[in-house]
Amino acid sequence: MKLTKEQIENVKSFLLETFAFNEEQLAAIDEQIPMTQEIFESILERCNELGSASDKIFYRLLRDYPDLTDVYGQKLEKELNEKYPDTELPEETPEERQAAWERLCARIRAEFGEDAI
């Protein structure tokens, strides 16, 4: 039996979710327990360790938990400011911010379908 590319990707995603995350993370991903900021950040950090293989989970979390995503982004920004206080990041114009948002949405739609966001 030959699997389609989509079926192979689904098997990879299943195996990744099953074996790459701890029980608490899996329970939150599956919405069996509430997603807390701490669990959210631990999952994102694990996704970063795993690389592109975990993109589906990473982008799904960003989409499904915008409030937690905002807090995480603010935390990262604060850490960068503390580690590199003399580095000034250029301010984004509203147009640049909108273009970045549209690129992110396009990537999510390409991965999860048009109704994803």
Side-chain angles (χ1 to χ4, degrees):
M1 176 172 134
K2 186 171 176 135
L3 298 176
T4 67
K5 183 178 178 180
E6 182 179 354
Q7 289 170 323
I8 291 170
E9 290 303 314
N10 288 339
V11 169
K12 286 181 184 178
S13 291
F14 171 77
L15 292 173
L16 180 80
E17 285 189 33
T18 302
F19 297 108
F21 297 94
N22 67 38
E23 288 183 30
E24 181 180 54
Q25 292 168 329
L26 286 173
I29 289 169
D30 291 337
E31 299 179 0
Q32 296 172 4
I33 63 171
M35 181 68 74
T36 65
Q37 189 69 43
E38 182 181 350
I39 297 170
F40 178 81
E41 291 179 18
S42 74
I43 296 169
L44 291 185
E45 288 171 15
R46 183 66 177 134
C47 286
N48 284 328
E49 292 169 1
L50 296 167
S52 62
S54 63
D55 280 353
K56 282 185 176 185
I57 296 168
F58 184 86
Y59 290 124
R60 186 177 74 207
L61 289 177
L62 295 180
R63 180 195 67 212
D64 291 350
Y65 299 98
D67 293 343
L68 301 178
T69 299
D70 288 344
V71 171
Y72 184 65
Q74 292 167 3
K75 178 181 172 185
L76 291 177
E77 184 177 355
K78 182 180 176 194
E79 286 177 15
L80 284 173
N81 288 336
E82 289 172 359
K83 285 184 180 180
Y84 308 102
D86 295 335
T87 303
E88 294 209 18
L89 299 175
E91 289 293 321
E92 285 184 314
T93 66
E95 294 80 14
E96 291 170 326
R97 199 170 15 261
Q98 181 64 31
W101 173 251
E102 289 173 7
R103 285 191 303 273
L104 176 61
C105 289
R107 290 178 67 187
I108 292 171
R109 284 186 192 104
E111 190 69 34
F112 300 105
E114 289 298 317
D115 294 333
I117 192 166

mmCIF file with all atom_site columns, all heavy atoms in Angstrom, residues 20 36 46 57 61 63 80 89 114:
data_model
loop_
_atom_site.group_PDB
_atom_site.id
_atom_site.type_symbol
_atom_site.label_atom_id
_atom_site.label_alt_id
_atom_site.label_comp_id
_atom_site.label_asym_id
_atom_site.label_entity_id
_atom_site.label_seq_id
_atom_site.pdbx_PDB_ins_code
_atom_site.Cartn_x
_atom_site.Cartn_y
_atom_site.Cartn_z
_atom_site.occupancy
_atom_site.B_iso_or_equiv
_atom_site.pdbx_formal_charge
_atom_site.auth_seq_id
_atom_site.auth_comp_id
_atom_site.auth_asym_id
_atom_site.auth_atom_id
_atom_site.pdbx_PDB_model_num
ATOM 1  N N   . ALA A 1 20  ? 7.092  13.543 20.925 1.00 0.00 ? 20  ALA A N   1
ATOM 2  C CA  . ALA A 1 20  ? 8.016  14.663 21.113 1.00 0.00 ? 20  ALA A CA  1
ATOM 3  C C   . ALA A 1 20  ? 7.631  15.588 22.268 1.00 0.00 ? 20  ALA A C   1
ATOM 4  O O   . ALA A 1 20  ? 8.421  16.430 22.655 1.00 0.00 ? 20  ALA A O   1
ATOM 5  C CB  . ALA A 1 20  ? 8.132  15.470 19.824 1.00 0.00 ? 20  ALA A CB  1
ATOM 6  N N   . THR A 1 36  ? -2.118 26.949 29.609 1.00 0.00 ? 36  THR A N   1
ATOM 7  C CA  . THR A 1 36  ? -1.612 28.052 30.421 1.00 0.00 ? 36  THR A CA  1
ATOM 8  C C   . THR A 1 36  ? -0.438 28.697 29.690 1.00 0.00 ? 36  THR A C   1
ATOM 9  O O   . THR A 1 36  ? 0.120  28.134 28.736 1.00 0.00 ? 36  THR A O   1
ATOM 10 C CB  . THR A 1 36  ? -1.116 27.549 31.788 1.00 0.00 ? 36  THR A CB  1
ATOM 11 O OG1 . THR A 1 36  ? 0.020  26.684 31.578 1.00 0.00 ? 36  THR A OG1 1
ATOM 12 C CG2 . THR A 1 36  ? -2.221 26.828 32.543 1.00 0.00 ? 36  THR A CG2 1
ATOM 13 N N   . ARG A 1 46  ? 9.762  23.736 22.714 1.00 0.00 ? 46  ARG A N   1
ATOM 14 C CA  . ARG A 1 46  ? 9.987  22.385 22.189 1.00 0.00 ? 46  ARG A CA  1
ATOM 15 C C   . ARG A 1 46  ? 9.883  22.395 20.666 1.00 0.00 ? 46  ARG A C   1
ATOM 16 O O   . ARG A 1 46  ? 10.669 21.743 19.983 1.00 0.00 ? 46  ARG A O   1
ATOM 17 C CB  . ARG A 1 46  ? 8.981  21.397 22.809 1.00 0.00 ? 46  ARG A CB  1
ATOM 18 C CG  . ARG A 1 46  ? 9.195  19.978 22.376 1.00 0.00 ? 46  ARG A CG  1
ATOM 19 C CD  . ARG A 1 46  ? 10.518 19.431 22.888 1.00 0.00 ? 46  ARG A CD  1
ATOM 20 N NE  . ARG A 1 46  ? 10.642 18.047 22.497 1.00 0.00 ? 46  ARG A NE  1
ATOM 21 C CZ  . ARG A 1 46  ? 11.724 17.515 21.967 1.00 0.00 ? 46  ARG A CZ  1
ATOM 22 N NH1 . ARG A 1 46  ? 12.825 18.237 21.828 1.00 0.00 ? 46  ARG A NH1 1
ATOM 23 N NH2 . ARG A 1 46  ? 11.751 16.255 21.621 1.00 0.00 ? 46  ARG A NH2 1
ATOM 24 N N   . ILE A 1 57  ? 2.149  22.417 14.515 1.00 0.00 ? 57  ILE A N   1
ATOM 25 C CA  . ILE A 1 57  ? 1.772  22.652 15.907 1.00 0.00 ? 57  ILE A CA  1
ATOM 26 C C   . ILE A 1 57  ? 2.085  24.099 16.291 1.00 0.00 ? 57  ILE A C   1
ATOM 27 O O   . ILE A 1 57  ? 1.265  24.790 16.899 1.00 0.00 ? 57  ILE A O   1
ATOM 28 C CB  . ILE A 1 57  ? 2.500  21.675 16.853 1.00 0.00 ? 57  ILE A CB  1
ATOM 29 C CG1 . ILE A 1 57  ? 2.062  20.251 16.564 1.00 0.00 ? 57  ILE A CG1 1
ATOM 30 C CG2 . ILE A 1 57  ? 2.247  22.035 18.316 1.00 0.00 ? 57  ILE A CG2 1
ATOM 31 C CD1 . ILE A 1 57  ? 2.918  19.200 17.221 1.00 0.00 ? 57  ILE A CD1 1
ATOM 32 N N   . LEU A 1 61  ? -0.763 26.818 17.396 1.00 0.00 ? 61  LEU A N   1
ATOM 33 C CA  . LEU A 1 61  ? -0.785 27.461 18.707 1.00 0.00 ? 61  LEU A CA  1
ATOM 34 C C   . LEU A 1 61  ? -0.825 28.982 18.585 1.00 0.00 ? 61  LEU A C   1
ATOM 35 O O   . LEU A 1 61  ? -1.569 29.646 19.303 1.00 0.00 ? 61  LEU A O   1
ATOM 36 C CB  . LEU A 1 61  ? 0.422  27.043 19.541 1.00 0.00 ? 61  LEU A CB  1
ATOM 37 C CG  . LEU A 1 61  ? 0.428  25.609 20.048 1.00 0.00 ? 61  LEU A CG  1
ATOM 38 C CD1 . LEU A 1 61  ? 1.723  25.327 20.792 1.00 0.00 ? 61  LEU A CD1 1
ATOM 39 C CD2 . LEU A 1 61  ? -0.758 25.329 20.928 1.00 0.00 ? 61  LEU A CD2 1
ATOM 40 N N   . ARG A 1 63  ? -2.057 30.698 16.218 1.00 0.00 ? 63  ARG A N   1
ATOM 41 C CA  . ARG A 1 63  ? -3.388 31.067 15.725 1.00 0.00 ? 63  ARG A CA  1
ATOM 42 C C   . ARG A 1 63  ? -4.453 30.889 16.802 1.00 0.00 ? 63  ARG A C   1
ATOM 43 O O   . ARG A 1 63  ? -5.305 31.758 16.987 1.00 0.00 ? 63  ARG A O   1
ATOM 44 C CB  . ARG A 1 63  ? -3.739 30.203 14.514 1.00 0.00 ? 63  ARG A CB  1
ATOM 45 C CG  . ARG A 1 63  ? -5.110 30.511 13.913 1.00 0.00 ? 63  ARG A CG  1
ATOM 46 C CD  . ARG A 1 63  ? -5.591 29.427 12.977 1.00 0.00 ? 63  ARG A CD  1
ATOM 47 N NE  . ARG A 1 63  ? -5.840 28.225 13.769 1.00 0.00 ? 63  ARG A NE  1
ATOM 48 C CZ  . ARG A 1 63  ? -5.679 26.991 13.313 1.00 0.00 ? 63  ARG A CZ  1
ATOM 49 N NH1 . ARG A 1 63  ? -5.274 26.783 12.092 1.00 0.00 ? 63  ARG A NH1 1
ATOM 50 N NH2 . ARG A 1 63  ? -5.928 25.949 14.081 1.00 0.00 ? 63  ARG A NH2 1
ATOM 51 N N   . LEU A 1 80  ? 15.243 40.410 24.836 1.00 0.00 ? 80  LEU A N   1
ATOM 52 C CA  . LEU A 1 80  ? 16.166 40.993 23.856 1.00 0.00 ? 80  LEU A CA  1
ATOM 53 C C   . LEU A 1 80  ? 16.657 42.357 24.322 1.00 0.00 ? 80  LEU A C   1
ATOM 54 O O   . LEU A 1 80  ? 17.850 42.673 24.198 1.00 0.00 ? 80  LEU A O   1
ATOM 55 C CB  . LEU A 1 80  ? 15.489 41.126 22.484 1.00 0.00 ? 80  LEU A CB  1
ATOM 56 C CG  . LEU A 1 80  ? 15.331 39.847 21.697 1.00 0.00 ? 80  LEU A CG  1
ATOM 57 C CD1 . LEU A 1 80  ? 14.504 40.096 20.445 1.00 0.00 ? 80  LEU A CD1 1
ATOM 58 C CD2 . LEU A 1 80  ? 16.687 39.265 21.323 1.00 0.00 ? 80  LEU A CD2 1
ATOM 59 N N   . LEU A 1 89  ? 15.918 48.312 17.549 1.00 0.00 ? 89  LEU A N   1
ATOM 60 C CA  . LEU A 1 89  ? 15.200 47.702 16.448 1.00 0.00 ? 89  LEU A CA  1
ATOM 61 C C   . LEU A 1 89  ? 14.400 48.786 15.740 1.00 0.00 ? 89  LEU A C   1
ATOM 62 O O   . LEU A 1 89  ? 13.799 49.641 16.393 1.00 0.00 ? 89  LEU A O   1
ATOM 63 C CB  . LEU A 1 89  ? 14.265 46.596 16.950 1.00 0.00 ? 89  LEU A CB  1
ATOM 64 C CG  . LEU A 1 89  ? 14.946 45.437 17.660 1.00 0.00 ? 89  LEU A CG  1
ATOM 65 C CD1 . LEU A 1 89  ? 13.900 44.482 18.216 1.00 0.00 ? 89  LEU A CD1 1
ATOM 66 C CD2 . LEU A 1 89  ? 15.884 44.706 16.727 1.00 0.00 ? 89  LEU A CD2 1
ATOM 67 N N   . GLU A 1 114 ? -7.749 27.332 3.672  1.00 0.00 ? 114 GLU A N   1
ATOM 68 C CA  . GLU A 1 114 ? -8.262 28.697 3.596  1.00 0.00 ? 114 GLU A CA  1
ATOM 69 C C   . GLU A 1 114 ? -9.091 29.114 4.804  1.00 0.00 ? 114 GLU A C   1
ATOM 70 O O   . GLU A 1 114 ? -9.155 30.292 5.143  1.00 0.00 ? 114 GLU A O   1
ATOM 71 C CB  . GLU A 1 114 ? -9.076 28.898 2.314  1.00 0.00 ? 114 GLU A CB  1
ATOM 72 C CG  . GLU A 1 114 ? -8.219 28.922 1.060  1.00 0.00 ? 114 GLU A CG  1
ATOM 73 C CD  . GLU A 1 114 ? -7.224 30.076 1.044  1.00 0.00 ? 114 GLU A CD  1
ATOM 74 O OE1 . GLU A 1 114 ? -7.585 31.215 1.420  1.00 0.00 ? 114 GLU A OE1 1
ATOM 75 O OE2 . GLU A 1 114 ? -6.061 29.834 0.674  1.00 0.00 ? 114 GLU A OE2 1
#
